[in-house]
Amino acid sequence: MSRQYWLRRMLIHVWLRAYPQLDLSEAAFTSSRDYASFEAFFTRELAPGTRPMPHDPATLAAPVDGTLGACGHIDSQTLVQAKGQHYDLDDLLAGAVDAQPFIGGSYATFYLAPADYHRVHMPTDARLMAAGYVPGRLFGVGPRFVRTVPRLFTRNERVVLSFATDTGAIAVIFIGAFVVGGIHTRWHGRICPPHRWHSRALTASSPIETAPDTRIARGDYLGHFSIGSSVIVLTEGECTALADDLCPGQPCRVGQPIGRLQ
């Protein structure tokens, strides 16, 4: 056996020991031996049918497996990061997409722990309209950092995807995190690393996928992280009513209802 094989086996074994809650039973490959690299293991796919979408097409679905960090109304361009911590909508989007449609809208923040499934899915049927990369730091995004680092989500490296739906705009924001900060999307491949100094619009490697008449279905794969991170979903104006039972700190899974388009 090669040295790379044993290194891969060791890394996966250490990870599974460190995070015993990590469940491979829902993955496309249920044995750790089936993964060609640690990266493939960390960004593993789920088995088909594992995360069914809600029957009601107007239901907004959770985009990730993780923990709900904060959610609510975007009041005067202000979003809540944690108790006593707030940040600004313009700073979050940093010109990558137009902030105006989201003023007075809704937001939900999701934290992906190292043991979680690290792929991101579409919350509703939509069309991709724009994508942008915003450079920044790589602070940790776990609960302790969110409580203590001011304006964390506006300071970390991130990728902003903007979509059009039948009821208004929606944005899905990938927030980079400590150590690797690896962000990939289905259109652009690996965006970072390398980490850059300047914001830039992202051009799809497959322009056909972003044609105006090409729809992305709710539940479709959008991209993935190479380390634990966070995702923020923004919706336009009054086009979404978040579910009344959403509570910061609650676990969530891809496909779980988090609101309703209206």
Side-chain angles (χ1 to χ4, degrees), residues 81-87 111 114 137-156 175-179 228-230:
Q81 178 174 302
K83 185 176 181 179
Q85 296 274 13
H86 301 82
Y87 60 100
Y111 167 60
R137 304 286 296 276
L138 289 174
F139 291 111
V141 293
R144 178 171 63 88
F145 290 94
V146 171
R147 289 192 302 268
T148 58
V149 179
R151 306 179 311 282
L152 171 61
F153 299 129
T154 69
R155 298 168 68 183
N156 268 23
I175 307 290
F178 181 61
V179 184
S229 199
S230 289

Side-chain angles (χ1 to χ4, degrees), residues 112-258:
L112 288 70
D116 286 324
Y117 167 68
H118 273 73
R119 291 180 173 242
V120 182
H121 296 259
M122 191 64 208
T124 186
D125 294 348
R127 300 185 305 276
L128 180 67
M129 304 303 291
Y133 165 81
V134 182
R137 304 286 296 276
L138 289 174
F139 291 111
V141 293
R144 178 171 63 88
F145 290 94
V146 171
R147 289 192 302 268
T148 58
V149 179
R151 306 179 311 282
L152 171 61
F153 299 129
T154 69
R155 298 168 68 183
N156 268 23
E157 182 177 56
R158 53 203 181 275
V159 169
V160 181
L161 302 180
S162 176
F163 301 90
T165 77
D166 292 340
T167 58
I170 184 170
V172 179
I173 304 166
F174 292 60
I175 307 290
F178 181 61
V179 184
V180 178
I183 301 175
H184 307 241
T185 78
R186 62 180 280 183
W187 299 278
H188 314 98
R190 188 177 74 178
I191 297 168
C192 48
H195 310 290
R196 298 172 174 85
W197 293 101
H198 302 288
S199 299
R200 63 188 178 100
L202 298 173
T203 303
S205 57
S206 177
I208 293 175
E209 288 205 27
T210 58
D213 59 348
T214 301
R215 296 187 67 85
I216 302 145
R218 184 179 57 175
D220 279 359
Y221 163 77
L222 293 183
H224 65 265
F225 293 103
S226 295
I227 196 66
S229 199
S230 289
V231 167
I232 301 174
V233 175
L234 309 177
T235 60
E236 178 177 351
E238 301 298 325
C239 77
T240 302
L242 293 179
D244 292 335
D245 59 354
L246 290 184
C247 179
Q250 74 180 62
C252 59
R253 288 157 64 89
V254 172
Q256 175 182 329
I258 60 170

Side-chain angles (χ1 to χ4, degrees), residues 39-133:
E39 173 78 5
F41 163 76
F42 191 85
T43 61
R44 60 195 174 275
E45 297 182 51
L46 293 174
T50 303
R51 297 287 188 277
M53 292 294 111
H55 293 296
D56 184 352
T59 298
L60 193 69
V64 296
D65 284 7
T67 302
L68 181 68
C71 62
H73 184 71
I74 303 173
D75 184 21
S76 300
Q77 299 199 50
T78 299
L79 295 81
V80 174
Q81 178 174 302
K83 185 176 181 179
Q85 296 274 13
H86 301 82
Y87 60 100
D88 187 81
L89 177 65
D90 279 334
D91 292 341
L92 176 67
L93 297 177
V97 301
D98 183 16
Q100 188 64 35
F102 302 106
I103 298 173
S106 300
Y107 72 95
T109 303
F110 303 88
Y111 167 60
L112 288 70
D116 286 324
Y117 167 68
H118 273 73
R119 291 180 173 242
V120 182
H121 296 259
M122 191 64 208
T124 186
D125 294 348
R127 300 185 305 276
L128 180 67
M129 304 303 291
Y133 165 81

